Amino acid sequence: MSEPTFATLVSRWYEQNARDLPWRVTGVGAWAILVSEVMLQQTPVVRVLPAFQAWLARWPTPAALAADTPAEAIRMWGRLGYPRRAMRLRECAVAIVERHGGEVPDRLDQLLALPGVGTYTARAVAAFAYGQRHPVVDTNVRRVVCRAIAGEPDAGPATRPADLVATEELLPAEPAAAALASAAFMELGAVICTARSPRCAACPVESVCAWRASGQEAPAGPTRRPQRYAGTDRQVRGLLLAVLREASGPVPHQRLDQVWTDDVQRSRALAGLVTDGLVEPVGGESFRLAGDGPALPAPALEP
Ligand code: SF4
């Protein structure tokens, strides 16, 4: 009898050990999977869980979100961080309604054409919602493949085409088995083959792992320097947005001036929110979340 493949070993482990997460429930639907994938970008599972449940309870379909305002999407995003994702998710819902009758498409090219849906998200939805065979490559999968197959401790800078090819070579031919393997690779990287503390003794592919066989030690330092938050424009943007989220309409700039004492930095952060389309000025003296009220008059054209 032939030896089980790498994908078979990881998939068997996954079937026994996968975390119980709401976006993995059978029949959860493509919209829920798309929402979860957008939220999980740059945000840990534990923070996504309550936001995901609340979002799906309020907007169980793309049409429901598309019918609401950008301001409500930003409000519901709360403190998940990187709130442009809320705007993009709503734009995506609008496009799904306009182009696909409210159903998340199952074709990769149509998924890739949606606003805010990139290489990773499109393949994740195609695989996890529709059981298709696509390499789904996030940071965790890159690390697993790099260690187990190439024998290198870290994947280094992303090389998207090469990463996709290397991962696709590991997938079973049968689409459903490939989709299961894709979920399994991600889980292995998230909970066993972590960046700093790989638990090789508990790993289902320890016996065939090239990095383990090389006898190399775990990386001595963080693979990425943690991003500073305190004192950054990101923090100031978050403080400004928190005030605007809690208001039910325009907020006078004097109120916003109170959130941060550095005038230059505060003005820069506010201008950035306006440029990103998250916030809009109202009458020169106030600001509100995008679309939070009647449409604003178009600016007068120069004669
Ligand atoms: S044996 Fe260790 S390094 Fe290899 S894939 Fe498993 S956890 Fe990662």
Side-chain angles (χ1 to χ4, degrees):
M1 206 168 75
S2 60
E3 294 291 316
T5 65
F6 182 85
T8 301
L9 290 170
V10 184
S11 296
R12 283 180 189 159
W13 166 85
Y14 178 77
E15 288 181 307
Q16 299 293 319
N17 297 280
R19 289 169 293 173
D20 188 12
L21 299 172
W23 44 87
R24 290 179 177 164
V25 172
T26 304
V28 69
W31 172 238
I33 288 171
L34 174 56
V35 171
S36 74
E37 291 297 342
V38 173
M39 288 186 169
L40 287 164
Q41 292 163 15
Q42 301 166 299
T43 308
V45 166
V46 68
R47 289 182 57 209
V48 166
L49 281 169
F52 171 83
Q53 305 277 22
W55 191 279
L56 265 292
R58 178 161 180 181
W59 297 308
T61 62
L65 175 57
D68 220 326
T69 61
E72 284 307 298
I74 298 166
R75 279 204 177 88
M76 281 294 286
W77 200 257
R79 296 183 172 277
L80 270 188
Y82 301 101
R84 270 178 292 180
R85 290 181 293 172
M87 296 278 291
R88 298 295 275 167
L89 193 48
R90 184 184 167 278
E91 289 166 15
C92 182
V94 171
I96 290 170
V97 170
E98 291 177 350
R99 300 176 199 169
H100 306 292
E103 297 294 326
V104 178
D106 60 358
R107 274 176 35 193
L108 186 61
D109 61 332
Q110 292 177 336
L111 285 163
L112 284 166
L114 293 172
V117 173
T119 302
Y120 165 79
T121 306
R123 285 169 173 76
V125 172
F128 304 147
Y130 296 116
Q132 296 174 13
R133 183 181 188 277
H134 295 290
V136 184
V137 185
D138 68 353
T139 308
N140 290 327
V141 173
R142 291 182 67 236
R143 185 172 58 252
V144 167
V145 173
C146 191
R147 286 178 179 169
I149 308 302
E152 301 290 336
D154 281 302
T159 51
R160 187 163 291 156
D163 291 336
L164 291 175
V165 169
T167 305
E168 184 165 17
E169 286 175 355
L170 297 172
L171 295 179
E174 200 273 315
L180 176 68
S182 292
F185 293 168
M186 290 178 66
E187 187 77 344
L188 189 72
V191 303
I192 297 285
C193 192
T194 60
R196 292 295 316 281
S197 310
R199 295 192 290 129
C200 299
C203 180
V205 292
E206 184 193 15
S207 62
V208 296
C209 174
W211 189 53
R212 186 72 163 157
S214 75
Q216 296 178 73
E217 295 296 317
T223 52
R224 270 194 317 173
R225 201 184 288 261
Q227 286 186 2
R228 187 172 68 92
Y229 182 72
T232 62
D233 284 9
R234 264 192 75 211
Q235 183 186 15
V236 184
R237 285 165 60 104
L239 293 169
L240 291 166
L241 271 184
V243 172
L244 291 159
R245 272 199 311 267
E246 282 161 22
S248 57
V251 176
H253 76 79
Q254 293 91 337
R255 170 70 186 92
L256 295 173
D257 290 350
Q258 294 169 14
V259 308
W260 198 255
T261 55
D262 183 332
D263 292 343
V264 173
Q265 190 177 22
R266 190 186 61 251
S267 297
R268 186 171 64 227
L270 186 56
L273 291 172
V274 172
T275 301
D276 289 346
L278 292 159
V279 170
E280 53 195 23
V282 185
E285 292 295 318
S286 300
F287 293 85
R288 70 182 189 187
L289 293 180
D292 198 18
L296 296 171
L301 295 173
E302 294 291 328

